Amino acid sequence: MNETGRTKWALPHLRPAQQDAVARARGWARIALVLVAACVAVVMTGADSGGWLILLAGFALLALAGAGVWWMLAHRGGPRLVGGLVAVTAPVGVLVLYATSGLWPVAVGAIGLWAGALASARASLRSVRRPKGTHGRKTPPPRRPVLIMNVRSGGGKVVKHGLVAHAEALGARVILLGTDDTYTDPAVEARRAVAEGADLIGVAGGDGTQALVAAVAAEHDVPFLVVAAGTRNHFAMDLGLDRTDPVRSLDALTNGVELRVDLGDVGGRAFVNTVSFGAYAEIVQSPEYRDAKAATALEHLPDLLLGGSGPTLDVRTDDARLHAPQALLVSNNAYARADPLGGGRRPRLDAGLLGVIGIRVEGAAQAAELALLGERAGSITSVTSRSVVVEADRERIAVAVDGEALELTTPVVCTVRPAALRVRVPRHRPGAAYAPPTVDWRRVFRLALGHPDPRTIKEAYDV
């Protein structure tokens, strides 16, 4: 970087590496704005001979697709059928419209440039907001590890991958769950193992089982090991474990490091991933949900979305209030994006904050807005908070804790226990996929002009 550039970007107390990070952000931001301008120029070339009308019609059809999804989810019978047809045919109509009008080169060019602009904008923000992996520290291998394995989790991954034999070969004692129809509480087994001298407790099972055992590990300050043998393995993913090969999780027994991560708490019960309220929580209460998820959701959603059933929630966070969200997600640390279709993962598990995402869609117009704007839509609220209080017009409400269906007495209080859990993970692990930051064009514009906002400067301090 030349002296002029360094002087211009000499922000208070930033180290040279931080100065370079902000300078890289400026460069990517300028590229993003150039690509946006090029995208506008390409669109302008299609403005002659009614091209604007055709381009706008394409956006209208995409919005109509969002409205169709709403009709399909919020109604039954004829309106549902019509909504489904609209949701499927509207995007096809966009392709046909552009192809027959001769504007497909404009559309393809504009989409390509816009995709490049988004990638550059994310690169700009990523330069000063690089996700930090949780710092691991070296610890000696456990001498008396105990692993609790649910043979039914993940469609039988414990048996398919031979996890029992692998664990025992590494010196672990294995406790099997799910071998018969008798329910065995994993928390009880974990407490018994600690009482008998276990210096590490591990779980091969779903996120719900992991949360129960993690609570015991945190209570006794014993290291906790996750074996990715569940169906979704969200916690394992955010720890950077290999979800395709659960055996690799066992490498932590002989060649591992220890992380300190947060643990969520809802009404005195621990959770490692999320607590859900509203529509999803109500749906998972149904006995039919486990075997027929889509059909059960479609059966219950009309009543839940249109207010015919389900409680009216009132939510308080540290700095915000959400009235009557149809769905509420409280997570142990925030997800990278609030987009209900594309969030996916948490960049950190040690920030000491809960993520809060509330969704309220009141009609086809808001569904259309959601289809066009995603997480920027007004129907989505996304904040972070140290505590969340959920009240309702009922004494007890449905709650899904790490996918487990429960009913809790209101008000339901969610908090976070910072650094409460010691997690042992393999020293060599794939790592979690990068979660791109949400594009904030105001920040990108300020970066391009050389005037980073206070949030950007704060993030630069963490580089």
Side-chain angles (χ1 to χ4, degrees):
M1 185 190 306
N2 59 42
E3 278 306 312
T4 302
R6 184 174 294 279
T7 301
K8 182 177 181 179
W9 283 80
L11 300 173
H13 311 299
L14 289 186
R15 302 189 303 271
Q18 295 166 329
Q19 295 274 358
D20 291 342
V22 179
R24 284 194 302 272
R26 176 189 59 176
W28 281 114
R30 289 181 172 178
I31 292 173
L33 293 187
V34 168
L35 290 174
V36 169
C39 179
V40 172
V42 168
V43 171
M44 291 292 292
T45 64
D48 297 332
S49 303
W52 273 115
L53 293 177
I54 296 174
L55 292 171
L56 291 175
F59 283 107
L61 285 172
L62 291 177
L64 187 60
V69 172
W70 168 261
W71 290 326
M72 183 177 66
L73 297 179
H75 298 84
R76 296 184 177 92
R80 169 169 289 174
L81 178 60
V82 172
L85 290 173
V86 170
V88 172
T89 59
V92 176
V94 175
L95 297 177
V96 172
L97 178 65
Y98 288 165
T100 57
S101 66
L103 284 178
W104 66 267
V106 174
V108 171
I111 291 172
L113 290 168
W114 181 250
L118 286 176
S120 300
R122 289 194 174 105
S124 173
L125 298 176
R126 183 171 64 239
S127 297
V128 289
R129 185 184 178 271
R130 291 180 295 183
K132 294 180 174 182
T134 305
H135 179 68
R137 66 183 184 91
K138 297 179 180 178
T139 57
R143 292 176 297 176
R144 301 186 65 183
V146 174
L147 299 184
I148 299 171
M149 298 189 179
N150 189 337
V151 298
R152 298 182 181 180
S153 291
K157 288 183 180 179
V158 169
V159 176
K160 290 178 183 177
H161 293 271
L163 293 177
V164 174
H166 281 96
E168 290 178 341
L170 294 173
R173 179 165 72 91
V174 176
I175 300 172
L176 291 179
L177 306 180
T179 55
D180 54 36
D181 293 333
T182 304
Y183 174 74
T184 303
D185 188 340
V188 171
E189 294 296 333
R191 288 193 176 88
R192 182 180 294 118
V194 172
E196 293 173 353
D199 60 353
L200 176 143
I201 307 175
V203 172
D207 291 325
T209 303
Q210 289 172 11
L212 293 173
V213 178
V216 177
E219 177 185 348
H220 295 278
D221 198 31
V222 173
F224 178 64
L225 187 148
V226 175
V227 181
T231 301
R232 297 178 180 84
N233 300 301
H234 286 173
F235 191 46
M237 175 178 66
D238 293 334
L239 288 170
L241 301 179
D242 187 345
R243 296 188 297 167
T244 63
D245 185 3
V247 174
R248 292 188 61 183
S249 301
L250 297 174
D251 292 345
L253 292 173
T254 55
N255 186 24
V257 294
E258 187 176 294
L259 312 177
R260 277 280 185 180
V261 304
D262 304 334
L263 197 60
D265 183 284
V266 53
R269 179 188 176 106
F271 65 95
V272 293
N273 292 323
T274 59
V275 180
S276 295
F277 303 83
Y280 173 74
E282 294 285 341
I283 290 170
V284 298
Q285 304 294 319
S286 174
E288 297 82 17
Y289 177 76
R290 190 168 297 275
D291 297 324
K293 292 180 173 61
T296 305
L298 287 173
E299 175 61 28
H300 289 81
L301 275 173
D303 294 330
L304 294 170
L305 294 178
L306 297 178
S309 66
T312 300
L313 305 178
D314 195 67
V315 184
R316 298 197 314 273
T317 70
D318 292 347
D319 303 310
R321 187 160 192 154
L322 290 71
H323 178 66
Q326 294 156 324
L328 177 73
L329 183 76
V330 179
S331 58
N332 174 27
N333 283 260
Y335 279 86
R337 302 182 67 184
D339 186 341
L341 300 178
R345 66 164 297 260
R346 295 160 290 180
R348 296 185 63 176
L349 291 170
D350 61 349
L353 291 170
L354 299 170
V356 184
I357 301 174
I359 303 174
R360 181 165 184 80
V361 180
E362 298 184 279
Q366 287 190 337
E369 179 198 25
L370 184 60
L372 290 176
L373 299 182
E375 61 184 314
R376 293 292 186 187
S379 54
I380 295 181
T381 300
S382 177
V383 297
T384 57
S385 183
R386 286 182 170 80
S387 68
V388 178
V389 180
V390 181
E391 297 181 292
D393 56 354
R394 300 182 185 181
E395 183 177 351
R396 294 178 65 82
I397 59 174
V399 183
V401 181
D402 283 332
E404 301 294 324
L406 302 174
E407 280 195 355
L408 299 179
T409 302
T410 56
V412 180
V413 180
C414 303
T415 56
V416 63
R417 308 178 201 168
L421 185 63
R422 299 166 59 189
V423 182
R424 189 172 180 88
V425 297
R427 185 185 304 276
H428 305 293
R429 57 193 188 279
Y434 172 69
T438 299
V439 174
D440 185 336
W441 285 106
R442 288 174 298 181
R443 295 183 66 198
V444 173
F445 188 75
R446 289 176 63 91
L447 278 166
L449 293 180
H451 303 293
D453 60 13
R455 178 180 169 189
T456 300
I457 296 173
K458 179 181 182 299
E459 289 173 353
Y461 280 108
D462 294 331
V463 171

